Amino acid sequence: MLALAPEAPRILAQSRDVLAVSGTNGKTTTTAYLTAALATLGPVDTNDDGANTAAGITTSLAAGTAPRVVIETDERWLPWLIEATKPSIVTLLNLSRDQLHRHHEVAHLAHAWSDALCSVPHVVASASDPAVVMAALAARKQTWVAVGSRWTQDGHVCPRCGGECVHEGADWGCDVCGLCKPTPDWWLEGDELVSKQFRLPLRLALPGEVNRANAAMAVATAALAGVEPSQALAAVRDIAAVAGRYAIAEHQGRRARVVLAKNPAGWLESLAIVAGTTEPLILAFNSEGVDGRDPSWLYDVPFDHLGGRRVVVTGRRATDMLVRLEMAGLTDIASTTDVLTALEMLPEGDVTVIANYTAFQEARRVLAR
Amino acid sequence: MKESTLSVALVFPEVLSTYGDRGNATALAHRARGRGLDCRVIKVGLHDPVPRTADVYLLGGGEDAAMLLAREHLRGQRSLAEAVAAGAACFAVCAGFQLLGHEFVGPDAITRSGLGILDVRSRRLPGPRAVGEVLAESTGLDVGFLTGFENHQGDALLGPAARPLARLLVGTGNGHDHDEGVVQGTVVGTYMHGPALVRNDRLADHLLATVVGALEPFDDEPVRRLRLERRNAALRPLRRRWPLRRAGLASRERRQP
């Protein structure tokens, strides 16, 4: 459609309120949360099929007529989306290294965002990510959400001036140009989402701090769009799986929860979800194009704390993962050809499967049989 | 053989480890401990003085701004050059490799001075960025075949004091004469991430042996398997092109010999 009618997205978005969600990680979950929250006001369309570049977004816009549309947007396509659909609010989650064989520098993306965001009336942006803050400052108005971030390895160089960006606890700032963490309008305190007016318990069905961050971004955005925050939270709280992420599948007495982790920041957060348990783990790892063909970054993620549990690696780059775990001092790691065999090698009970993109899709497919 | 604990200085990992290059320290420690040697990895922060007394120095790759920041903090510090002159081993990847040379050219086309530890000058590669698997046969050292992943826009022109680390079978490397990397005394530079010392165990052992002398054998089966897998993966595109080449139908070769 886009090739035949390049004006289609602009026409299809006219007279509708478009809200965009973008970032390296958490796009799909935050989009699902935001869509559920806005649905308390009336009909909402969204691209929940995961097609988040120009062609898929155009198809999604054409598929519905709801007055509000929430669009998950690939971070590289955000400038296009802003130009084509003139969103009223853009929600900016995070920017970190991902598929570096194609996208060589996080800083380039941040500057492309910054150029595109000049025309956006309002952004809801993470205050915890220097690259996001630098870009978000270009918009006309900002709502800042302090969601925290375990991953800071892309935040040591100031995205604005190239000076050193110093991190102290949850705060950060550049000594050279003065770019620093803005005062948040919303922030997380343990399992509570807090603003000057509200203090709301999250109690999410989805696990991990990363989903608290996604919920915080979605509720802050929904509040800006006119949803009562407690109602927004009530609408998102019970969502237990998003496009297969965190879904639980049974296989011969094993209850497998499948977690998607696409890049080092994602792996860091996913490993944190299982850190407090001794539950067996399956790590499924590929390097097809969308996974990133270069898994060197495995060494930027600590795996040492996985010791003391059964771990099985699988996937077409399983040997890379095996060597990574060996270098982290883990021994007795098993390696096998596929997720089902891996499950059968583990005792009955709960198992977490952490998989990168194509491995995740494969795991979902075989577990659904 | 050196008696005390082996110390590995990982220089500025917060800005020089874009592609997991901190894994080179992990690999050295793994292979040292595999021989019963004590090994301590010292992470040198941007505000720390680079130590004068480490046994091995590691510098990784970084984005353009990160590289310039690392350069600012390295300039004026003599300890790395002095340690190398006194026989310490040094392994530098990509941006770290360029920083050790006489000069390099940034994305802004400005030529900047490096530390001058290597007799190397780096400019910008013409054409597209060099991204992909690397396979090379070591020539500057006797460490077998080398496997890695490159992602860079720089070349490397070697002066008379430096010799190439390896001859390329697949990849762009230094961008000239099918060479990859450099060896000069106890210093090794390369464009290979991977991290390279994980994938290339004999290269890791060479750096360790520079400091501690001859090493006991240490076979690492998973690494051996990984090396073969990556070698096959690097060769796959060549094999696919082979029938076309025989028929005279191959498209332009990608900087291959």
Side-chain angles (χ1 to χ4, degrees), chain A residues 264-307:
Chain A
W267 276 84
L268 196 63
E269 295 293 351
S270 299
L271 292 171
I273 290 173
V274 298
T277 74
T278 53
E279 199 172 286
L281 265 185
I282 296 172
L283 305 180
F285 198 60
N286 288 344
S287 69
E288 318 306 307
V290 288
D291 300 316
R293 287 194 289 117
D294 175 18
S296 301
W297 53 261
L298 280 176
Y299 291 84
D300 289 328
V301 179
F303 286 84
D304 327 34
H305 59 287
L306 295 185

Side-chain angles (χ1 to χ4, degrees), chain A residues 97 100-101 104-107 153 156-157 162-164 293-294 296 299-300 317 319-320 322-323 326-327 335, chain B residues 14-15 17-20 22-23 26 30 47 63-64 129 131 149 151 194-195 198 220 222 225-226 229-230:
Chain A
R97 61 191 72 174
L100 281 172
H101 76 280
H104 310 299
E105 299 213 345
V106 172
Q153 288 186 42
H156 292 292
V157 179
E164 184 189 1
R293 287 194 289 117
D294 175 18
S296 301
Y299 291 84
D300 289 328
R317 296 298 290 266
T319 310
D320 294 75
L322 182 68
V323 169
E326 183 202 9
M327 295 284 161
S335 175
Chain B
E14 64 269 61
V15 291
S17 186
T18 297
Y19 303 92
R22 73 189 70 228
T26 313
H30 173 73
H47 293 283
E63 296 190 358
D64 294 327
R129 195 174 172 92
V131 182
F149 197 98
N151 191 340
V198 173
D220 192 331
R225 206 188 322 163
L226 178 64
E229 280 184 19
R230 298 328 303 156

Side-chain angles (χ1 to χ4, degrees), chain A residues 1 12 16 45-66 69-72:
Chain A
M1 181 194 303
L12 291 165
R16 300 168 84 184
D45 287 335
T46 186
N47 55 337
D48 55 6
D49 57 356
N52 62 12
T53 61
I57 288 169
T58 306
T59 306
S60 294
L61 284 169
T65 55
V69 194
V70 182
I71 301 284
E72 172 191 333

Side-chain angles (χ1 to χ4, degrees), chain A residues 131-153:
Chain A
V132 167
V133 170
M134 187 280 290
L137 284 168
R140 282 181 234 147
K141 207 161 175 223
Q142 296 82 16
T143 293
W144 300 111
V145 190
V147 294
S149 174
R150 272 194 180 75
W151 180 261
T152 57
Q153 288 186 42

Side-chain angles (χ1 to χ4, degrees), chain A residues 2 6 8-10 52-59 61 71 73-87 112 116:
Chain A
L2 200 55
R10 189 183 59 77
N52 62 12
T53 61
I57 288 169
T58 306
T59 306
L61 284 169
I71 301 284
T73 312
D74 179 273
E75 54 274 31
R76 275 121 350 222
W77 286 92
L78 184 63
W80 170 85
L81 181 100
I82 291 169
E83 171 65 25
T85 70
K86 310 280 183 253

Side-chain angles (χ1 to χ4, degrees), chain A residues 90-273:
Chain A
V90 177
T91 304
L92 304 170
L93 305 174
N94 47 63
L95 274 177
S96 66
R97 61 191 72 174
D98 185 36
Q99 296 184 48
L100 281 172
H101 76 280
R102 281 200 289 174
H103 319 295
H104 310 299
E105 299 213 345
V106 172
H108 288 171
L109 258 180
H111 284 283
W113 274 18
S114 177
D115 293 344
L117 287 163
C118 302
S119 64
V120 171
H122 207 132
V123 293
V124 178
S126 165
S128 307
D129 186 323
V132 167
V133 170
M134 187 280 290
L137 284 168
R140 282 181 234 147
K141 207 161 175 223
Q142 296 82 16
T143 293
W144 300 111
V145 190
V147 294
S149 174
R150 272 194 180 75
W151 180 261
T152 57
Q153 288 186 42
D154 291 306
H156 292 292
V157 179
C158 175
R160 187 157 70 188
C161 75
E164 184 189 1
C165 200
V166 180
H167 293 250
E168 282 181 13
D171 290 330
W172 56 268
C174 171
D175 291 340
V176 180
C177 75
L179 183 73
C180 64
K181 181 180 172 183
T183 305
D185 302 292
W186 294 86
W187 61 96
L188 288 165
E189 283 182 19
D191 197 42
E192 290 182 321
L193 176 60
V194 187
S195 73
K196 278 185 185 154
Q197 295 85 31
F198 300 97
R199 178 172 286 273
L200 305 164
L202 288 169
R203 295 199 291 263
L204 300 173
L206 289 182
E209 288 172 33
V210 67
N211 285 313
R212 289 183 200 142
N214 293 334
M217 298 299 297
V219 171
T221 309
L224 189 62
V227 184
E228 175 67 25
S230 59
Q231 280 191 356
L233 208 42
V236 310
R237 186 169 283 137
D238 296 329
I239 294 174
V242 177
R245 292 152 173 83
Y246 309 102
I248 291 173
E250 294 266 348
H251 177 73
Q252 296 187 6
R254 285 82 174 170
R255 293 180 76 247
R257 182 171 59 179
V258 191
V259 178
L260 171 68
K262 296 185 291 188
N263 44 46
W267 276 84
L268 196 63
E269 295 293 351
S270 299
L271 292 171
I273 290 173

